Amino acid sequence: MIRYPVTRAALTAAVARHAPTWSQRAKRRQTLITKAGVYGEKKSIWSEIKPALTDFQKNKCGYCERKLEASEYGAIEWDVEHFRPKSAVAPLPDPLKYPHIALNGPGGGGGSGYYWLAYDVENYLGACKICNTIMKGTLFPVAGTRCVAPGTAAQLAGERAYLCHPLSPSDADPQDLITFDGVLAIPAQASGFDRARADLIISLFRLNDREELINERARQIVLFGGY
């Protein structure tokens, strides 16, 4: 993962360039969702703003850095990913896979979704289908107390999310969490919460088990003379 810091103002401006009426329609939809207290839409409109995200993410998946479209892979389907799931949050399927993680109470378990963030542009990033649908799904483990509606920015930060949002300037720089030993992703820190975050991210997105990612790292090492 690498950082693509972008402000709300910049995101909103990019959305307006690509889909001029999106923000107004999104606001109306969000009002109805918030009133209902649950996300239940049958059809959404966030795919309209995909170009705004690819502008900032350099056409890469926010989680694994795989090219969202590349000649060797063909046109890869990808999603506007909700960093904090809009619907119910699923529990970690096997907490024992994450030995460095001390889950606090229900933090690693399931819970209600962040429906009030369904149309919040700061809750979005572009993610490939593998990362979004197969790997992450509706997982969102936290070390602190899970925020409930209508959670403030301070309360959301207090959750101490294990996942890292590469577009958020208020989150950690992913490169302070994860570094590389050759083609292998490894934690940048030896212990502590940042180590736990790195372990979960590497494991959850299988950053060292996907052949296409290993091959791309090896190619970059050769291109830039690392070896």
Side-chain angles (χ1 to χ4, degrees):
M1 298 174 71
I2 57 176
R3 194 172 199 177
Y4 308 100
V6 58
T7 64
R8 175 182 287 274
L11 268 173
T12 301
V15 166
R17 287 194 301 272
H18 291 287
T21 66
W22 188 89
S23 291
Q24 292 85 351
R25 288 180 287 133
K27 184 176 181 179
R28 290 195 294 269
R29 285 170 173 255
Q30 186 61 68
T31 297
L32 294 174
I33 294 167
T34 302
K35 184 177 180 180
V38 65
Y39 180 80
E41 287 187 321
K42 300 299 182 183
K43 292 184 179 180
S44 62
I45 59 173
W46 44 73
S47 62
E48 297 177 25
I49 66 169
K50 280 185 171 184
L53 295 173
T54 53
D55 285 352
F56 292 110
Q57 293 181 206
K58 312 302 182 186
N59 206 39
K60 293 181 179 181
C61 172
Y63 291 128
C64 73
E65 296 184 57
R66 183 181 187 181
K67 286 286 188 182
L68 298 177
E69 290 187 12
S71 57
E72 61 264 49
Y73 307 136
I76 298 174
E77 286 191 272
W78 64 280
D79 300 314
V80 174
E81 144 76 348
H82 287 72
F83 180 65
R84 284 179 165 84
K86 61 189 180 297
S87 302
V89 179
L92 283 173
D94 184 3
L96 295 179
K97 287 174 60 180
Y98 309 102
H100 295 282
I101 296 173
L103 295 173
N104 179 16
S112 60
Y114 300 79
Y115 61 86
W116 70 97
L117 300 177
Y119 283 97
D120 188 332
V121 293
E122 288 188 307
N123 192 41
Y124 295 163
L125 71 155
C128 70
K129 286 284 188 182
I130 294 175
C131 284
N132 183 39
T133 304
I134 299 175
M135 307 297 181
K136 178 176 180 281
T138 59
L139 296 174
F140 196 74
V142 297
T145 301
R146 192 176 298 285
C147 185
V148 296
T152 64
Q155 289 170 331
L156 289 170
E159 289 186 318
R160 302 183 73 213
Y162 281 105
L163 297 180
C164 182
H165 195 321
L167 292 180
S168 174
S170 63
D171 204 342
D173 187 329
Q175 294 180 90
D176 291 336
L177 303 178
I178 298 172
T179 187
F180 290 88
D181 181 1
V183 297
L184 296 179
I186 61 174
Q189 308 300 325
S191 61
F193 183 56
D194 286 350
R195 167 63 187 266
R197 296 185 82 184
D199 279 328
L200 186 138
I201 291 167
I202 292 169
S203 177
L204 182 63
F205 294 109
R206 296 178 55 195
L207 298 184
N208 291 332
D209 301 320
R210 294 160 60 184
E211 185 177 359
E212 74 275 14
L213 302 182
I214 300 295
N215 289 343
E216 179 58 27
R217 291 174 204 153
R219 183 159 47 241
Q220 293 299 317
I221 288 172
V222 171
L223 283 174
F224 291 98
Y227 286 154

